Amino acid sequence: MVKRYAYSPLIDTGAVVRELPVSAGSPAPFTLENERFTLKMDETTRVYGLGETVRGVNKRGWIYESWCTDETFHSEEKRSLYGAHNFILVSGEVTFGAFFDLPGRITFDLGYTDSDLICITPERFSLDLYLITGDSLKDIVAQFRRLIGKSYLPPRWAFGFGQSRWGYVKEEDIRRCIDAYQKAHIPLDMLYLDIDYMDSFKDFTVNTERFPDLKAFAAEMKERGIRLIPIIDAAVKQEEGYPIYEEGRQKRYFCQDRDGRDFVVGVWPGKSLLPDFLNPEAARWFGSRYKALTDLGIEGFWNDMNEPALFYSEQGLHNAFSELKELDGKNLDIWSYFRTRNLMVNLQNSDEDYKLFYHQTPRGRFSHYDLHNLYGYHMTKSAYDALCELRDEPSLLFSRASYIGAHRYGGIWTGDNHTWWSHILLSLQQMPGLNMCGFLFSGSDIGGFAGNCTRDLLIRWMSFAVFTPLMRNHSAAGTRSQEAFAFGDTEVFRHIIELRYRLIPYLYGEFVKAVEDDAMFFRPLVFDYEEDAIAATVEDQLMVGDSLMIAPIYRQNADARHVYLPEAMTQVRMHQVDISTEELNKGWHYISVPLGDVVFFSRKPFPLAKAAENTAALDWDDVAYIG
Ligand code: GLC
């Protein structure tokens, strides 16, 4: 059962797709006092949800803040990442789900300040609250998902493997990369184009020195079974004569300051403007511009920097320089030194800037600050709506920033992670939270975005990412190469990626079922085995679809690990091209997983196809059932 409580919501965020009557009275089991929702926890209480956040599957013990943030260090002390996913699932003496639907900042103190207390504080007390009770954890999630509408279903080819890198600057770099993959017979379906393909980082342009004929190049790649997937950034370069800038300015489609002047921020291209995605006309306009690339044969996009990420605002920069001038030549003591240093550091993604510009919504003008968490969501929606009109086939689309509701229009990737072992585990732990909130098509930058990857890390990361719907290797400019051919011996990577392709009929089939049934593709064990006290404590294994369970290795030098089987299962081991099985009893096992082997578990038979070098060559019908 779902109950809605309304506390003067500022705006309809669009997250919820069902009309519900407003309930009167107190929002039990929460106590509402001083504009805060509190709930006592007993020692068995666990709190799931919150989508894309740091730390474990059970979120209890930490404090989170929903505020879409361009966060480059996903370390344990962070409170916000790129998404704002305000759904929690409390499991304990009382078990229920709660969705706090508001476009601004909200803090979830889940036993951080007081270890027995959940305390949820919206910064501005203006929201809809949905409380959901049900028969089981899965049932509560399904009811929530029905409330927020069906998840995005990408094209089948999007389940192939994709290679990306910020730093493939020209056609030749990409051709060389694809040649290396195909020479080594490593399956590949997508090659991502990062900002380097654009002319001076201008959206919907192509640098023709680097890519003289992108249409012909895309066609050539498609012939070879590879789709090119370009990035689109939120901010638009301020440059006279650049049509997107000129049109947007004339039609007043950019976010403006209080006095109606275009609000100038700094992003990759330098001075830029922010399309007002919350103005439906502006969103339609921006979306229609994807045509520049779909006309060249492009079938998918990734949308970035849409928290929105701001390096600075023109105003903020001016203020900082004025202060710096005053400090020039002074004897800086400890405090004035830090002040000086922070003048530049604090320019980025500053709350002060978010307060200085506005959106023209159908409900009137609002400060960006009050609607902050909806920006990326509406960029994704604008692209999705446009792509549905521009193309007859489904398109691949995923974004960095998001709010619940965006899950209907695209997937998300988890942003700028690191080449850290702990980030394999983080990625695994983020998946079920994302799935609860409707984001089924997701994955992390395999091998890590920032930092230098090593061969063993990449092998272990790939062995996990074989199971994530979005399987993409991506890295930052200036880092060491981490393609599947970058470490010399390609065999081991070929085997792992081939396994992915062999599993696609299963993964895609289970994904479609999860979309249709409003279910989770990835589930913590406790969701399937609620009565099993051990299952509830296992945070490094996941159920994948109906038949499989994974327990990846995520520690350096580990070649074995403990695995808990909540029932008797078949252990499936991929060793090079061989697949072998072994029946195992319920309980704990110590499983050897030498580097390069992939081991997972099945509780029901699942289909396994023959290996293929891309999804077009995959025979979906020629499968053998294993387990
Ligand atoms: C952001 C994105 C990253 C991308 C980079 C350059 O940091 O998160 O994936 O490579 O921008 O576009």
Side-chain angles (χ1 to χ4, degrees), residues 263-267 269-272 309-318 344 347-350 353:
F263 188 73
V264 182
V265 297
V267 197
K271 286 187 185 177
S272 308
L310 311 181
F311 297 166
Y312 58 82
S313 71
E314 203 172 38
Q315 184 61 47
L317 196 63
H318 174 74
M344 283 296 150
L347 280 177
Q348 221 174 331
N349 309 318
S350 121
D353 285 337

Side-chain angles (χ1 to χ4, degrees), residues 360-397:
Q360 279 314 329
T361 81
R363 293 270 311 269
R365 192 168 91 142
F366 288 88
S367 149
H368 171 79
Y369 187 80
D370 286 333
L371 306 186
H372 176 74
N373 287 341
L374 302 184
Y375 192 77
Y377 161 20
H378 282 270
M379 180 181 184
T380 308
K381 182 174 185 307
S382 108
Y384 175 86
D385 289 344
L387 290 171
C388 288
E389 282 184 21
L390 292 168
R391 304 195 56 246
D392 297 330
E393 305 281 318
S395 310
L396 170 59
L397 182 63

Side-chain angles (χ1 to χ4, degrees), residues 583-600:
E583 301 311 315
L584 297 179
N585 294 329
K586 173 180 158 85
W588 284 105
H589 296 266
Y590 192 65
I591 308 279
S592 149
V593 191
L595 196 64
D597 281 15
V598 182
V599 174
F600 53 102

Side-chain angles (χ1 to χ4, degrees), residues 70-72 82 164-167 193-196 198 201 231 233 268 302-305 307 309 311 400 413-417 445 449 472 474-477:
D70 171 20
E71 174 55 70
T72 43
Y82 313 88
S164 184
R165 180 170 174 80
W166 177 10
L193 303 182
D194 207 322
I195 46 175
D196 318 284
M198 297 181 201
F201 309 122
I231 195 170
D233 285 324
W268 306 121
W302 46 311
N303 281 346
D304 192 22
M305 305 298 273
E307 294 70 29
F311 297 166
R400 197 171 69 174
W413 94 101
T414 60
D416 298 348
N417 57 7
D445 290 349
F449 173 75
R472 180 178 79 140
H474 180 52
S475 52

Side-chain angles (χ1 to χ4, degrees), residues 476-520:
T479 60
R480 178 187 192 189
S481 290
Q482 62 185 51
E483 294 85 357
F485 55 78
F487 296 97
D489 55 340
T490 50
E491 288 275 283
V492 62
F493 294 101
R494 176 161 65 82
H495 296 143
I496 296 171
I497 300 173
E498 274 179 1
L499 175 64
R500 159 63 168 222
Y501 278 72
R502 300 189 68 187
L503 281 166
I504 285 180
Y506 172 75
L507 298 172
Y508 181 77
E510 294 299 305
F511 187 95
V512 172
K513 272 202 270 171
V515 172
E516 283 172 356
D517 301 344
D518 300 300
M520 292 161 68

